[in-house]
Amino acid sequence: MFVFALIPLLPLLAFVIIALGGRWLRGEAHRIAIPAIVISFGISALAFIEILRNGPFSLPLYKLIHVGQLQIELGLYLDQLTVLLLLLVTGVSSLVHIFSSRYMHGDPRYERFFAVIALFTFSMLMLVMSTNLLMLFISWEVMGICSYLLISHWSERKSACNAATKAFLVNAVAGVGLSFGVILTFATFHTLDIQTILQEAPQMADRTINVLEWAGLEWNIHILTVIALFLFVGAIGKSSQVPLHVWLPFAMEAPTPVSALIHAATMVNAGVFLVARMSPLIMQSTVAMTVIAVVGGTTALFGAVISLAQTDIKKILAYSTMSQIGFMIMTCGLGAFVAAIFHLLAHGALKGFLFLSTGNALQNVLGSPHTEGGKASHHAEVTQSWSLYLGALVLAVIPPFVIFSGPYERLWTAVYPTSGFLAFWVIGLITVFFTAIYLFHGIVMLFSRAMPVEWQDTGTSPGSSEGPTRLFSPSLLLAIFGIVFVLAYFLLSLWNWFVGFLAPAFPSPQVALAADQATHIFSAWILLPLLTAIFGWTLAYYLHFSHAKPGLVFQDKLKTLYVWCLNRGYVDEIYDTYIVRPNLRFSHWLWQVVDIGGIDRAVNGLATISVNAAQWLWHVIDIRGIDRGVNSLGRFSIVVARWLWQVIDIRGIDRTVTGLGGQSQSLAKWFWQIIDMRTIQKSVDQVGEQAKAAGEALQHVEPRMLQHHLLVLIFWLVLAITILFWLVY
């Protein structure tokens, strides 16, 4: 089981190796990143097989935090939802890494680019595999940092730096909401383990919280509603939903592989994944579900309408992504989480295909040689663009198959009132119609700009009898429609299996109902959204290849609406007028009035008071008080010392010592004269005379004593020799 820990670990190792050894790789960073991501994709496929056979499982790694009730365990959790996202992320990331090895060739920050996208892939994988909300939040923020670095990859362009800053700030605001949701979740459930939270969520459905208690008022709201809305704020920012959608179109300043990886197939899907993962909790709140559905539907419609007037292909695809993610969010708000994930996977793969294929096809068209007559260039345009038209059509008709068919069509009818159901159908059909138009318009606009100027002026290529109106023949259109319907049949067949596979990841009565009714996958109502999508695609084809261009139609008939769409609904201007500039003015006021006029002036005034007080203390206390006192004490000490020297030392002690010395000298002289000279000398003289007399007496006695001793010695010697001789013999 622990082999599945390599799924996020390999991209992390690739990031570390490239980041630390980039200077030695010298343009070979892809040789580290590509194998790591491809192997990760292979292990994800093995994880899919394991889930298919044995169901979900957890991989506890080690305990990260244990403080009181807060216990965070770094581990991985794999279930049906996780493994599908793993396949999408690692699959698209593998293709992006391979594509980037040629697309980014020669870039001065080549190694840095691969290091960051490897780190981004790791953070996205950890996000979908996290077992607790803290690790999910950390991965969420790391992914935002990687997005900032990749958007500003070409930092020599000011527009790229501004786009990165906007993306970072918007997602930071959304991240605050997500952090509040995580904190409130822990305060409510006393744990951050996702599975434990989802299991205990039904028991917390009736618990309320007074959100105005801090103001002394009372407004009780269900705690799960507050948690769900806070978590959804994070999803709004990351998935670029209204009103925090403004960063995504400008994020297209990033290199095309980044747009395919982050802003089409992975990062923007994080919000949908979060809502789907926390679905058992979110479904306990009808208010949260309604807010999610409204925000998603508004975003889907808004993104589709705004895309109609955009002139940059990457911004068209960005608003398309925003619109399709809005579809998914709206579907989650209606309880159709399986349909949302199905659409997420299909959209992620197709949008990644559109981004990469657009970049590749545009490069080929612009780089193809213009042979005589222009026939080779025209042929290159046809061969390079037809796959993109097909992809655009497929992307246009997938939402009807996913959202308007299957058991969820009947589920929405049974659960929601008729008015809400009709509103959903109206928003969905309008969005499907506009989606088909802007996808076709964007791709055709891309290749019409890549054509030589004389083609755009005359409508025909030099030396060719057929103009652009013959780009698609009726037989080719019929073939494309046939392929679309074959693909539709395949998708509907896959849908039946998909519902059964993914239903266990959403334990709720509604999903169970969907799984029971999954066998009835076709409804006659599916023809309406399908025909709507095909009609939108056909209308775009007609408007483009006729003299009535879409832009001209808008300018002539709906000029105001066209200008509104061209300026992206003036949302950026509204933010700039009512949020950015007031905040800047407020910040400037805080700087001038509060900071400089208040805090700085107070600090400077306090410093001035301190300096003045210090000067007063120096002049008055120190110089006049302490210094004068010390100096006076010093002078007094000198006077006292002089008095002690003159009076006590000289007059007292010195005189006493001198007098005592004189007396001692007189006494010593007296002792010498009286005792020493007279008494001791006489005694010594007497002892000497007696000793002299004794010596003279001994001199007379000594010769006779010596003779006597010799005689005694001789006697005893003779006696000893005699005894010895006697004893021997």
Coordinates of all heavy atoms in Angstrom, one line a residue, residues 23-63:
R23 N 21.6 24.5 -11.6 CA 22.7 25.1 -12.3 C 23.6 24.0 -13.0 O 24.3 24.3 -13.9 CB 23.6 25.9 -11.4 CG 24.3 25.0 -10.3 CD 25.2 25.9 -9.5 NE 24.5 27.0 -8.8 CZ 25.1 27.9 -8.0 NH1 26.5 27.9 -7.9 NH2 24.4 28.8 -7.4
W24 N 23.5 22.8 -12.5 CA 24.2 21.7 -13.1 C 23.4 20.9 -14.2 O 24.0 20.2 -15.0 CB 24.7 20.7 -12.1 CG 25.7 21.3 -11.1 CD1 27.0 21.5 -11.3 CD2 25.4 21.7 -9.8 NE1 27.6 22.1 -10.2 CE2 26.6 22.3 -9.2 CE3 24.3 21.8 -9.0 CZ2 26.7 22.8 -8.0 CZ3 24.4 22.3 -7.7 CH2 25.6 22.8 -7.2
L25 N 22.1 21.1 -14.2 CA 21.3 20.4 -15.2 C 21.4 21.0 -16.6 O 21.3 20.3 -17.6 CB 19.8 20.4 -14.7 CG 19.5 19.6 -13.5 CD1 18.0 19.8 -13.1 CD2 19.8 18.1 -13.7
R26 N 21.6 22.3 -16.7 CA 21.8 23.0 -17.9 C 20.8 22.6 -19.0 O 21.2 22.1 -20.0 CB 23.3 22.7 -18.4 CG 24.4 23.2 -17.4 CD 25.7 22.9 -18.0 NE 26.8 23.3 -17.1 CZ 27.3 24.5 -17.0 NH1 26.8 25.5 -17.8 NH2 28.2 24.8 -16.1
G27 N 19.6 23.0 -18.8 CA 18.5 22.7 -19.8 C 18.0 21.3 -19.8 O 17.3 21.0 -20.8
E28 N 18.4 20.5 -18.9 CA 18.0 19.1 -18.9 C 17.0 18.8 -17.7 O 16.9 17.6 -17.3 CB 19.2 18.2 -18.8 CG 20.2 18.3 -19.9 CD 19.6 17.9 -21.3 OE1 18.7 17.0 -21.3 OE2 20.0 18.5 -22.3
A29 N 16.4 19.8 -17.2 CA 15.5 19.6 -16.0 C 14.3 18.7 -16.4 O 13.8 18.0 -15.5 CB 15.0 21.0 -15.6
H30 N 13.9 18.7 -17.6 CA 12.8 17.8 -18.0 C 13.1 16.4 -17.9 O 12.2 15.5 -17.7 CB 12.4 18.1 -19.4 CG 13.4 17.9 -20.4 ND1 14.4 18.8 -20.7 CD2 13.6 16.8 -21.2 CE1 15.2 18.3 -21.7 NE2 14.8 17.1 -22.0
R31 N 14.4 16.0 -17.9 CA 14.8 14.6 -17.7 C 14.6 14.1 -16.3 O 14.5 12.9 -16.1 CB 16.2 14.4 -18.1 CG 16.5 14.8 -19.6 CD 18.0 14.4 -20.0 NE 18.2 14.8 -21.4 CZ 17.9 14.0 -22.4 NH1 17.4 12.8 -22.2 NH2 18.2 14.4 -23.6
I32 N 14.4 15.0 -15.4 CA 14.1 14.7 -14.0 C 12.6 14.8 -13.8 O 12.0 13.9 -13.2 CB 14.8 15.6 -13.0 CG1 16.3 15.6 -13.2 CG2 14.4 15.3 -11.6 CD1 16.9 14.2 -12.9
A33 N 11.9 15.8 -14.3 CA 10.5 16.1 -14.0 C 9.6 15.1 -14.8 O 8.7 14.5 -14.2 CB 10.2 17.5 -14.4
I34 N 9.9 14.9 -16.1 CA 9.0 14.0 -16.9 C 8.9 12.6 -16.3 O 7.8 12.1 -16.1 CB 9.4 14.1 -18.3 CG1 9.1 15.5 -18.9 CG2 8.6 13.0 -19.1 CD1 9.6 15.6 -20.3
P35 N 10.0 11.9 -16.1 CA 9.9 10.5 -15.5 C 9.1 10.5 -14.2 O 8.4 9.6 -14.0 CB 11.3 10.1 -15.4 CG 12.1 10.9 -16.4 CD 11.4 12.2 -16.4
A36 N 9.4 11.5 -13.4 CA 8.7 11.5 -12.1 C 7.2 11.6 -12.2 O 6.5 10.9 -11.5 CB 9.3 12.7 -11.2
I37 N 6.7 12.5 -13.1 CA 5.3 12.7 -13.2 C 4.7 11.5 -14.0 O 3.6 11.0 -13.6 CB 5.0 14.0 -14.0 CG1 5.7 15.2 -13.3 CG2 3.5 14.2 -14.1 CD1 5.2 15.4 -11.9
V38 N 5.4 10.9 -14.9 CA 4.8 9.8 -15.7 C 4.7 8.6 -14.8 O 3.7 7.8 -14.8 CB 5.7 9.5 -16.9 CG1 5.3 8.2 -17.6 CG2 5.6 10.6 -17.9
I39 N 5.7 8.3 -13.9 CA 5.7 7.2 -13.0 C 4.5 7.5 -12.0 O 3.8 6.5 -11.6 CB 7.0 7.0 -12.3 CG1 8.1 6.6 -13.3 CG2 6.9 6.0 -11.2 CD1 9.5 6.6 -12.7
S40 N 4.4 8.7 -11.6 CA 3.3 9.0 -10.7 C 1.9 8.7 -11.3 O 1.0 8.2 -10.6 CB 3.4 10.5 -10.3 OG 2.3 10.8 -9.4
F41 N 1.8 9.0 -12.6 CA 0.6 8.7 -13.3 C 0.4 7.2 -13.4 O -0.8 6.7 -13.2 CB 0.6 9.2 -14.7 CG -0.5 8.8 -15.6 CD1 -1.8 9.3 -15.4 CD2 -0.3 7.8 -16.6 CE1 -2.8 8.9 -16.2 CE2 -1.4 7.4 -17.4 CZ -2.6 7.9 -17.2
G42 N 1.5 6.4 -13.6 CA 1.3 4.9 -13.6 C 0.9 4.4 -12.3 O 0.0 3.5 -12.2
I43 N 1.5 4.9 -11.2 CA 1.0 4.5 -9.8 C -0.4 4.9 -9.5 O -1.2 4.2 -8.9 CB 2.0 5.0 -8.8 CG1 3.4 4.6 -9.0 CG2 1.6 4.6 -7.4 CD1 4.5 5.1 -8.1
S44 N -0.8 6.0 -10.1 CA -2.2 6.4 -9.9 C -3.2 5.5 -10.6 O -4.3 5.2 -10.1 CB -2.4 7.9 -10.5 OG -1.6 8.8 -9.8
A45 N -2.7 5.0 -11.8 CA -3.5 3.9 -12.5 C -3.6 2.7 -11.6 O -4.7 2.0 -11.5 CB -2.9 3.6 -13.8
L46 N -2.5 2.3 -11.0 CA -2.6 1.1 -10.1 C -3.5 1.4 -8.9 O -4.2 0.5 -8.4 CB -1.2 0.8 -9.6 CG -0.1 0.4 -10.6 CD1 1.2 0.1 -10.0 CD2 -0.6 -0.9 -11.3
A47 N -3.5 2.6 -8.4 CA -4.4 3.0 -7.3 C -5.8 2.9 -7.7 O -6.7 2.5 -7.0 CB -4.1 4.4 -6.8
F48 N -6.1 3.3 -9.0 CA -7.5 3.2 -9.5 C -7.9 1.7 -9.5 O -9.1 1.4 -9.1 CB -7.5 3.8 -10.9 CG -8.8 3.6 -11.6 CD1 -9.9 4.3 -11.3 CD2 -9.0 2.6 -12.6 CE1 -11.1 4.1 -12.0 CE2 -10.1 2.4 -13.2 CZ -11.2 3.1 -12.9
I49 N -7.0 0.8 -9.9 CA -7.4 -0.6 -10.0 C -7.6 -1.1 -8.5 O -8.5 -1.9 -8.3 CB -6.2 -1.4 -10.7 CG1 -6.1 -1.0 -12.1 CG2 -6.5 -2.9 -10.6 CD1 -5.0 -1.6 -12.9
E50 N -6.8 -0.7 -7.6 CA -6.9 -1.1 -6.2 C -8.2 -0.6 -5.6 O -8.9 -1.4 -4.9 CB -5.7 -0.5 -5.4 CG -5.8 -0.9 -3.9 CD -5.6 -2.3 -3.6 OE1 -5.1 -3.1 -4.5 OE2 -6.1 -2.8 -2.5
I51 N -8.6 0.6 -5.9 CA -9.9 1.1 -5.4 C -11.0 0.4 -6.1 O -12.1 0.0 -5.4 CB -10.0 2.6 -5.7 CG1 -9.0 3.4 -4.9 CG2 -11.4 3.1 -5.4 CD1 -9.2 3.4 -3.4
L52 N -10.9 0.1 -7.4 CA -12.0 -0.7 -8.1 C -12.2 -2.0 -7.5 O -13.3 -2.5 -7.4 CB -11.6 -0.8 -9.6 CG -12.7 -1.2 -10.5 CD1 -13.8 -0.2 -10.5 CD2 -12.1 -1.3 -11.9
R53 N -11.1 -2.6 -7.0 CA -11.2 -4.0 -6.4 C -11.6 -4.0 -5.0 O -12.5 -4.8 -4.6 CB -9.9 -4.7 -6.6 CG -9.5 -5.1 -8.1 CD -8.2 -5.7 -8.1 NE -7.8 -6.1 -9.5 CZ -6.7 -6.7 -9.8 NH1 -5.7 -6.9 -8.9 NH2 -6.4 -7.0 -11.1
N54 N -10.9 -3.2 -4.2 CA -11.0 -3.3 -2.7 C -11.6 -2.1 -2.0 O -11.8 -2.2 -0.8 CB -9.6 -3.6 -2.1 CG -9.0 -4.9 -2.7 OD1 -9.7 -5.9 -2.9 ND2 -7.7 -4.8 -3.0
G55 N -11.9 -1.1 -2.7 CA -12.5 0.1 -2.1 C -11.5 1.1 -1.5 O -10.3 0.9 -1.6
P56 N -12.0 2.1 -0.8 CA -11.1 3.1 -0.2 C -10.2 2.6 0.9 O -10.4 1.6 1.5 CB -12.1 4.1 0.4 CG -13.4 3.8 -0.2 CD -13.4 2.4 -0.5
F57 N -9.1 3.3 1.0 CA -8.1 2.9 2.1 C -7.3 4.2 2.5 O -7.3 5.1 1.7 CB -7.2 1.8 1.6 CG -6.3 2.2 0.4 CD1 -5.1 2.8 0.6 CD2 -6.8 1.9 -0.8 CE1 -4.3 3.1 -0.5 CE2 -6.0 2.2 -2.0 CZ -4.8 2.8 -1.8
S58 N -6.7 4.1 3.7 CA -5.9 5.2 4.2 C -4.5 4.7 4.3 O -4.2 3.6 4.6 CB -6.4 5.6 5.6 OG -7.7 6.1 5.5
L59 N -3.6 5.7 4.2 CA -2.1 5.5 4.4 C -1.6 6.4 5.5 O -1.2 7.5 5.2 CB -1.4 5.7 3.1 CG -1.6 4.7 2.0 CD1 -0.8 5.1 0.8 CD2 -1.1 3.3 2.4
P60 N -1.7 6.0 6.8 CA -1.1 6.9 7.9 C 0.4 6.9 7.8 O 1.0 5.8 7.7 CB -1.6 6.2 9.1 CG -1.9 4.8 8.8 CD -2.3 4.8 7.3
L61 N 1.0 8.0 7.8 CA 2.5 8.1 7.7 C 3.1 8.4 9.0 O 3.9 7.6 9.5 CB 2.8 9.2 6.6 CG 2.3 8.9 5.2 CD1 2.7 10.0 4.2 CD2 2.8 7.6 4.7
Y62 N 2.8 9.6 9.6 CA 3.3 9.9 10.9 C 2.5 11.0 11.5 O 1.9 11.8 10.8 CB 4.8 10.2 10.9 CG 5.2 11.5 10.3 CD1 5.3 12.7 11.0 CD2 5.4 11.6 8.9 CE1 5.6 13.9 10.4 CE2 5.8 12.7 8.3 CZ 5.9 13.9 9.0 OH 6.2 15.1 8.4
K63 N 2.6 11.1 12.9 CA 1.8 12.1 13.6 C 2.6 13.4 13.5 O 3.7 13.5 14.0 CB 1.6 11.7 15.0 CG 0.6 12.6 15.8 CD 0.2 11.9 17.1 CE -0.7 10.7 16.9 NZ -1.2 10.2 18.2

